[in-house]
């Protein structure tokens, strides 16, 4: 099993360009998440999904959109990239939890995005 | 929201026991405490999780006092490969959200 994979691994954008980051998981997990990690900081939740066709906002959703058309995929879109969105983006997935924080999240290897 | 506070960094030597303490003063009744490990250029990896008292698995122990306002991750006999950033998280009841703090950078020396 590949676990959680992310595409692409690296990307450089110019301000105003758009792009989509793809996350795929083969563990049949219901829940998927997108985080960003900036130097010297922990991970901050951008958006998440508790099932196919559903999405919800996290801590820092502005400037991003997501879609969960298939259970195994979670897409993160940047419509008009800004230098402030330069970061490392991590996708994660997990099984449903009866209580928040009790489900182990499995992370992908990350996508390093630079916006010039 | 339950916010966590951890030391920014710690140093240790191979073979020593390392204890990393996390403060979470306003933890809610149903919140669980989880620790993740992150190596450079990788995503975080689950280490251990607990609610109260003590939890032990094959790689670590987690100690949580009765008031649950803090917790301690214990790594027995660390090796060079334990050099990483360790995050303490508190799960927010009924939201499925995890709030990562800034983490503790552990450096293990030979």
């Amino acid at each position: 099993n590949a676990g959680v994979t992310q595409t692409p691994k690296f990307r450089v954008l110019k301000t105003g360009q758009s792009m989509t980051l793809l996350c795929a998981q083969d563990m049949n997990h219901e829940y998927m998440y997108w985080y960003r990690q900036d130097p010297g900081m922990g991970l901050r939740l951008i958006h998440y999904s508790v099932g196919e066709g559903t999405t919800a906002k996290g801590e820092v959703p502005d400037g991003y959109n997501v879609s969960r058309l298939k259970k195994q995929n979670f897409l993160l879109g940047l419509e008009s990239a800004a230098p402030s969105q330069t970061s490392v983006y991590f996708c994660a997935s997990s099984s449903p939890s009866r209580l928040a924080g009790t489900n182990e999240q499995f992370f992908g290897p990350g996508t390093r995005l630079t916006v010039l | 929201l339950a916010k966590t506070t951890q030391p920014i960094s710690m140093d240790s030597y191979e073979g020593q026991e390392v204890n990393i303490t996390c403060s979470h003063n306003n933890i809610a009744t149903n919140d669980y405490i989880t620790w993740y490990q992150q190596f450079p250029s990788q995503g975080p990896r689950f280490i251990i999780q607990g609610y109260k008292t003590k939890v032990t698995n094959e790689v670590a122990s987690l100690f949580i006092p009765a008031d649950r306002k803090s917790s301690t991750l214990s790594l027995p006999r660390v090796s060079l490969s334990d050099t990483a950033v360790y995050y303490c998280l508190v799960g927010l009841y009924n939201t499925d959200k995890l709030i990562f703090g800034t983490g503790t950078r552990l450096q293990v020396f030979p």
Side-chain angles (χ1 to χ4, degrees):
Chain A
N1 289 344
V4 179
T5 57
Q6 294 183 229
T7 308
K9 289 184 170 53
F10 303 94
R11 186 72 185 268
V12 178
L13 290 178
K14 294 181 179 178
T15 297
Q17 288 184 319
S18 64
M19 77 163 295
T20 300
L21 282 66
L22 171 63
C23 176
Q25 53 96 4
D26 61 3
M27 295 173 282
N28 201 35
H29 284 161
E30 288 291 334
Y31 294 178
M32 296 187 75
Y33 314 79
W34 274 108
Y35 295 88
R36 61 176 288 174
Q37 184 172 37
D38 301 298
M41 299 182 68
L43 283 77
R44 291 183 291 171
L45 183 64
I46 304 172
H47 285 281
Y48 64 104
S49 168
V50 297
E52 182 178 320
T54 72
T55 62
K57 294 180 179 180
E59 297 176 75
V60 289
D62 295 341
Y64 305 95
N65 56 76
V66 288
S67 64
R68 183 95 181 270
L69 299 179
K70 294 182 179 181
K71 185 178 182 179
Q72 64 268 34
N73 296 336
F74 196 28
L75 277 64
L76 178 71
L78 286 74
E79 290 186 346
S80 180
S84 61
Q85 293 178 304
T86 293
S87 187
V88 179
Y89 292 85
F90 288 99
C91 175
S93 70
S94 68
S95 299
S97 62
R98 184 173 59 84
L99 290 176
T102 60
N103 51 341
E104 176 181 352
Q105 293 193 11
F106 294 83
F107 284 81
T111 294
R112 186 173 297 273
L113 175 66
T114 301
V115 182
L116 302 176
Chain B
L1 298 177
K3 182 179 178 180
T4 61
T5 303
Q6 304 172 233
I8 294 174
S9 63
M10 296 181 68
D11 292 335
S12 182
Y13 291 94
E14 282 190 294
Q16 290 188 331
E17 178 184 72
V18 171
N19 296 310
I20 306 174
T21 298
C22 176
S23 171
H24 28 79
N25 290 324
N26 58 341
I27 189 171
T29 302
N30 293 308
D31 287 346
Y32 274 69
I33 298 152
T34 310
W35 287 80
Y36 280 79
Q37 175 191 55
Q38 186 178 26
F39 296 112
S41 301
Q42 294 185 25
R45 184 180 69 171
F46 175 92
I47 303 175
I48 197 167
Q49 182 180 80
Y51 181 75
K52 60 181 179 181
T53 62
K54 178 183 175 182
V55 178
T56 298
N57 61 23
E58 62 275 9
V59 298
S61 295
L62 178 58
F63 299 92
I64 306 169
D67 66 6
R68 304 200 329 121
K69 293 185 182 299
S70 66
S71 59
T72 299
L73 172 72
S74 180
L75 305 172
R77 301 175 61 80
V78 294
S79 64
L80 296 176
S81 62
D82 292 315
T83 293
V85 178
Y86 293 82
Y87 292 97
C88 164
L89 297 89
V90 175
L92 304 179
Y93 177 66
N94 220 25
T95 66
D96 293 301
K97 296 178 183 178
L98 294 180
I99 306 296
F100 281 80
T102 53
T104 297
R105 184 174 301 277
L106 173 65
Q107 178 69 54
V108 180
F109 294 97

